[in-house]
Amino acid sequence: MQRFGSFLSNMILPNIAVFIAWGIITAFFIPTGWTPNETLAALVGPILLTLIPVLIAYTGGRMVYGVRGGAVGALVAMGVIVAEPDRVMILGAMIAGPLAAWLLKQIEKLWAGKVRHGFEMLVDNFSAGIIGFGMAIAAFFGLSKVVVWISDVFGGAVGFLVDNGLLPLASIIVEPAKVLFLNNAINHGVFTPLGAEQAAETGKSIFFLIEANPGPGAGLLIAIMVFGVGAARATAPGAFIIHFFGGIHELYFPYVIAKPMLILAMIAGGATGVLTNVIFGSGLRAPASPGSIFAVLFQTAQDSYVGVILSVVLSASVTFLVAAVILRASRKRDLAEADAAFSDAIAQTEANKGKSSAALAGLAAAAAGGAISNIVFACDAGMGSSAMGATVLRKKLKDAGVTGVTVTNKAIANLDGTADLVISQRQLTDRAKKAEPNAVHVSVDNFMNSPAYDEVVTTVAESQKATK
């Protein structure tokens, strides 16, 4: 599920800037916008109905079969788009792009290595053109009908929830799925296509705020600041700032994973936020990505500020209250565990370099064979929390005087075999190992505050000394 969800979100995420630009154009130039302009408003339809689906199809095709796969994927997506010119065919593009690229890849395997030298470009261009032609026609007459049927089924299900006031129940699925690192899959794979179609009709959509609302996470982190213990309480203020203002929701996931009962607080807060937007009929014009309070307010429709702001405040308040009850009820046990953890930390400090951690056992072995020069932070989407982790480690390396080391962040799906060391969240390490089998892998619970970073810095420095 994580791999499939990651694939869906990786088609959307690189094109979020276009969604944001479309939202700005809509906000300013449509008849109900801030500065109505009939001439410039003509951009709204073509960008949403054609440009965005084509870009998504190209991105998906490129992920499967490189640039040629992207080109053929975009071509085939046009068959779906033109067949239904009045529909937002984002879902159709998400199917057509990767599918077309995969079929091209399988067909070209039939003559791979058999083409006479000097004719490779001719064969490649004509095969892609002819196959793309056939698939575009098939998409026009066949795939477009399938996509319409799927969209109608989804739309009917969502309409049932909305009409019966049941949309807040979506939080029962959304909040646990987010903590399992399916947040990008849910937001960009499900809610963004649904929201774009709704926004095209009404100028705003509640779907853009179901997953992206920073309120529940903020309420949880405030509760941990007040009622938490140990490292969780110490790190919560920094996590709150980055989550609420920076929009990186992954930072609160470890706190829920550490105490699973807190998922009840997240569900209660999420449902409160959705219910508030349902009552006020509020929504965003375009996706808020990342889910920062600044991005949310920037994309809020003109008539929705009261509802959107209340949805954030009330969802944070409800999450805080429920989390406070849970944390207070288990505080005595948490204090005992925190004391034990602190004692372990003292023992490890006393052992100093004479005791290596299990997570870095392989790292020392790798260091003996050569200097580590390429470190990659890998997460589901390759943005957000992994970018913050990379920033933290870069600073630690700089402070330690370690040079000549590249620290970057990538999506797990984009790992390409060049990393010496890969750092990933514990829940995603198995996937990272499959994508980058020859690298040393380090698992962490929290990208922002992990004791493993100090060991990484020490071992990298020692590996460089050993090779001099």
Side-chain angles (χ1 to χ4, degrees), residues 215-216 219-220 223 264-273 276 311-325:
L220 173 71
L264 298 177
M266 302 307 301
I267 292 172
T272 299
T276 303
S311 75
V312 175
V313 173
L314 293 178
S315 63
S317 301
V318 170
T319 301
F320 172 83
L321 292 174
V322 177
V325 172

Side-chain angles (χ1 to χ4, degrees), residues 119 125 175 216 277 284 324 363 411 434 456 467:
F119 289 84
N125 286 341
E175 296 303 331
N277 283 315
L284 306 185
L363 182 57
K434 291 178 182 178
V456 169
T467 58

Side-chain angles (χ1 to χ4, degrees), residues 95-390:
I95 297 173
L99 179 60
W102 182 82
L103 289 172
L104 176 65
K105 183 178 182 179
Q106 302 310 310
I107 293 172
E108 290 193 340
K109 283 182 179 179
L110 298 176
W111 55 78
K114 301 176 183 178
V115 178
R116 187 181 295 275
H117 180 67
F119 289 84
E120 294 91 350
M121 184 179 294
L122 179 69
V123 173
D124 285 348
N125 286 341
F126 271 86
S127 65
I130 293 170
I131 294 168
F133 159 77
M135 288 191 288
I137 300 301
F140 184 92
F141 289 106
L143 182 59
S144 62
K145 306 300 184 292
V146 174
V147 172
V148 168
W149 179 80
I150 294 173
S151 298
D152 288 344
V153 170
F154 278 140
V158 172
F160 174 81
L161 293 176
V162 173
D163 294 340
N164 292 277
L166 300 176
L167 192 59
L169 295 181
S171 296
I172 296 174
I173 298 174
V174 171
E175 296 303 331
K178 285 179 66 175
V179 174
L180 294 174
F181 295 95
L182 293 171
N183 53 314
N184 288 310
I186 292 171
N187 195 26
H188 301 306
V190 178
F191 290 136
T192 294
L194 290 174
E197 189 160 355
Q198 187 179 58
E201 298 175 1
T202 65
K204 61 185 177 182
S205 176
I206 189 175
F207 297 117
F208 292 137
L209 202 51
I210 292 178
E211 187 275 342
N213 186 350
L220 173 71
L221 293 169
I222 294 172
I224 292 172
M225 288 184 221
V226 178
F227 301 107
V229 297
R233 183 173 185 174
T235 57
F240 170 83
I241 292 172
I242 296 170
H243 160 78
F244 193 67
F245 299 107
I248 302 175
H249 291 203
E250 290 94 332
L251 285 183
Y252 77 76
F253 297 172
Y255 299 92
V256 181
I257 292 171
K259 183 175 284 298
M261 278 288 289
L262 290 173
I263 197 63
L264 298 177
M266 302 307 301
I267 292 172
T272 299
V274 175
L275 179 60
T276 303
N277 283 315
V278 169
I279 292 173
F280 282 85
S282 49
L284 306 185
R285 296 185 305 267
S289 182
S292 158
I293 186 62
F294 298 126
V296 168
L297 293 176
F298 184 79
Q299 295 292 10
T300 299
Q302 275 185 293
D303 60 352
S304 297
Y305 281 100
V306 172
V308 168
I309 293 173
L310 278 176
S311 75
V312 175
V313 173
L314 293 178
S315 63
S317 301
V318 170
T319 301
F320 172 83
L321 292 174
V322 177
V325 172
I326 295 171
L327 292 169
R328 289 282 294 176
S330 61
R331 185 173 177 81
K332 186 177 293 185
R333 183 174 69 253
D334 291 343
L335 282 169
E337 292 175 355
D339 289 340
F342 185 63
S343 297
D344 290 343
I346 293 174
Q348 185 173 359
T349 302
E350 291 174 346
N352 204 356
K353 294 183 181 179
K355 183 180 179 182
S356 59
S357 67
L360 296 178
L363 182 57
I372 296 167
S373 60
N374 187 12
I375 300 175
V376 175
F377 278 74
C379 69
D380 192 46
M383 301 180 182
S385 56
S386 62
M388 296 303 302

Side-chain angles (χ1 to χ4, degrees), residues 6 9-10 13 376-383 386 409-416 431 435:
S6 177
S9 64
N10 285 339
L13 280 172
V376 175
F377 278 74
C379 69
D380 192 46
M383 301 180 182
S386 62
N409 53 287
K410 292 182 180 180
I412 290 175
N414 293 334
L415 292 173
D416 54 11
R431 283 176 53 201

